[in-house]
């Protein structure tokens, strides 16, 4: 509904908001009644244009105020605990990003310093993920994207094309590629598979396992498998999948199948909270990794990153060389023009915080998530996420079925929404989707005091629902 808009026919576009208004005559404001006041202008007595470009102009202060007023019914991003996306950056970062708004990032010839900053970011991320950098190793490669969705599309294309090239060289059929992944993957993986005509082979969740089963995943590989996806931080429960176990099984069985790690959420958490955990290029079967800069990379949306172990895993024919912007340059993207602001924001965070700054923030978020989980457990909720840094700094929880509540998680979410909080209620991934749960994402600006406010409101929401008569709360249930 939001991303794909249907353009209404004229009779719908011109229909009144309330039936019968077309029969009532309203006095139109005269031109000479336009005043210096925004709300004294004729624009304040008209609806915002929504179907056709207006014929005349609007003063800039009026345009600003009309749009700002229209947005007041949006939720408060700070209270949106459904989203992993960054909602706080320092003023200096915001200023730097605002100054770069006119720059088209793709124009490397015109903005060489901006391109250089992207390269610096790729270098830092590659080393953070332990990419091979010895003199006798091929160079790791990477690029910025508009988010992890584009990064995953690029990585999937690279895996598919590499598989096709190997099959062609062997004189084999290339018409039925497949990819192995958990059924709890983010929807962008389903898009990648569908758009690029790749069969999806799912390792389904169970009632007590919400991550990929390494043995089952490796067992699904056949000659048409282009790769395995593992997730560093499930969207549903925040758990880290065991990439090392998948890697070790592939080596043990002598199977030549690459691993792509979807580190969209965990890629800027795990290296600082559990640096000893092996999930990245330390594992020989890991050939590419994506990460979202606009999640725990602490940058406003949208920026993502994708890194390949070496050029071997990024077929040359996918990289386009162009010169119509004034210089020869290589391009491997799904889009072309994009702003430079987010890349600069990422570099600001890297040099502003460094490893110690990121570590401090991520450890604080982990502590806050553990505190919230402990409080919810004491209140009788069942905790479905892992604490102590074993997963993302989030809390996934559900009502205890043993208590036989006459309301469900969706009713709790509705009550919290009345207090301004956006705490999503949802069902688990396929094959375990009879489970309902709630999730709180702990972001940088979710302080301990704000967490205490949420806990109080959750207590109040449950108490309010418990006092409702049977049947009253059902209108909010799924």
């Amino acid at each position: 509904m939001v991303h794909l808009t249907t353009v209404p026919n004229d009779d719908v576009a011109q229909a009144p908001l309330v039936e019968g208004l077309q029969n009532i005559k309203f006095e139109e404001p005269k031109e000479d009644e336009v005043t210096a006041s925004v709300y004294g202008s004729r624009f304040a007595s008209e609806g915002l244009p929504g179907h056709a470009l207006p014929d005349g102009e609007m003063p800039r202060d009026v345009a600003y105020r009309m749009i700002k007023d229209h947005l007041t019914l949006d939720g408060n991003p700070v209270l949106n605990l459904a989203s992993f996306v960054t909602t706080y950056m320092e003023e200096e970062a915001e200023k730097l990003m605002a100054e770069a708004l006119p720059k088209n990032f793709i124009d490397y010839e015109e903005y060489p310093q901006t391109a250089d900053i992207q390269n610096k970011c790729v270098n830092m991320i590659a080393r953070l993920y332990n990419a091979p950098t010895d003199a006798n190793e091929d160079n790791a490669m990477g690029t910025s994207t508009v988010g992890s969705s584009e990064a995953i599309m690029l990585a999937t294309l690279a895996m598919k094309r590499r598989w096709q090239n190997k099959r062609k060289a062997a004189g084999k059929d290339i018409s039925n590629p497949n990819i192995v992944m958990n059924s709890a993957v983010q929807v962008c993986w389903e898009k990648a598979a569908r758009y690029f005509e790749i069969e999806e082979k799912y390792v389904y969740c169970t009632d007590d396992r919400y991550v990929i089963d390494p043995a089952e995943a490796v067992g699904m590989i056949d000659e048409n498998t282009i790769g395995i996806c593992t997730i560093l931080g499930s969207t549903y429960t925040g758990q880290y999948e065991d990439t090392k176990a998948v890697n070790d099984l592939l080596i043990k069985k002598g199977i030549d199948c690459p691993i792509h790690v979807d580190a969209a959420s965990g890629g800027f958490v795990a290296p600082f909270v559990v640096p000893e955990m092996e999930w990245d290029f330390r594992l020989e079967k890991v050939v590419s990794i994506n990460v979202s800069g606009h999640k725990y990379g602490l940058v406003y949306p949208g920026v993502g990153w994708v890194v390949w172990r070496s050029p071997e895993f990024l077929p040359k024919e996918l990289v386009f060389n162009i010169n119509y912007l004034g210089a020869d340059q290589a391009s491997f993207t799904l889009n072309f023009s994009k702003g430079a602001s987010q890349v600069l924001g990422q570099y600001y965070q890297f040099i502003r915080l460094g490893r110690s700054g990121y570590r401090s923030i991520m450890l604080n978020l982990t502590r806050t998530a553990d505190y919230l989980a402990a409080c919810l457990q004491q209140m009788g909720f069942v905790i479905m996420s892992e604490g102590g840094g074993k997963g993302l700094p989030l809390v996934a929880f559900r009502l205890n079925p043993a208590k036989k509540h006459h309301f469900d998680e969706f009713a709790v979410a509705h009550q919290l929404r009345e207090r301004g909080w956006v705490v999503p209620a949802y069902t688990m991934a396929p094959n375990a989707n009879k489970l309902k749960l709630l999730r709180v994402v702990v972001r940088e600006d979710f302080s301990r005091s704000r967490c205490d406010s949420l806990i109080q409101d959750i207590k109040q929401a449950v108490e309010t629902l418990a006092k409702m008569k049977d049947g009253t709360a059902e209108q909010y249930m799924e």
Side-chain angles (χ1 to χ4, degrees), residues 177-196:
N178 67 64
I179 187 168
V180 177
M181 52 190 171
N182 183 4
S183 63
V185 290
Q186 212 266 359
V187 69
C188 63
W189 280 102
E190 299 174 58
K191 289 181 179 179
R194 197 170 303 174
Y195 294 168
F196 303 141

Side-chain angles (χ1 to χ4, degrees), residues 399-411:
L399 294 166
N400 190 336
K403 295 191 175 183
K404 301 187 183 303
H405 296 285
H406 61 270
F407 53 90
D408 67 1
E409 289 78 2
F410 287 86

Side-chain angles (χ1 to χ4, degrees), residues 217-238:
V218 172
M220 297 175 76
I221 296 171
D222 59 29
E223 64 178 1
N224 292 319
T225 301
I226 67 171
I228 294 180
C229 161
T230 61
I231 309 170
L232 190 71
S234 164
T235 300
Y236 288 88
T237 61

Side-chain angles (χ1 to χ4, degrees), residues 291-367:
V291 65
S292 292
H294 58 230
K295 292 181 180 176
Y296 289 108
L298 308 181
V299 182
Y300 292 142
V303 61
W305 304 90
V306 58
V307 181
W308 287 269
R309 176 185 286 273
S310 76
E312 174 190 353
F313 302 103
L314 177 54
K316 290 181 180 179
E317 62 267 31
L318 293 178
V319 180
F320 291 83
N321 293 290
I322 60 171
N323 63 8
Y324 46 75
L325 290 179
D328 291 326
Q329 59 189 59
S331 174
F332 182 36
T333 61
L334 293 182
N335 66 310
F336 194 66
S337 295
K338 68 175 181 180
S341 299
Q342 271 63 27
V343 170
L344 300 183
Q346 185 73 83
Y347 187 62
Y348 172 90
Q349 295 290 43
F350 282 172
I351 66 172
R352 164 74 174 92
L353 296 173
R355 285 179 178 264
S356 63
Y358 270 94
R359 186 179 300 112
S360 297
I361 291 171
M362 298 309 154
L363 287 174
N364 262 352
L365 299 186
T366 301
R367 294 186 191 102

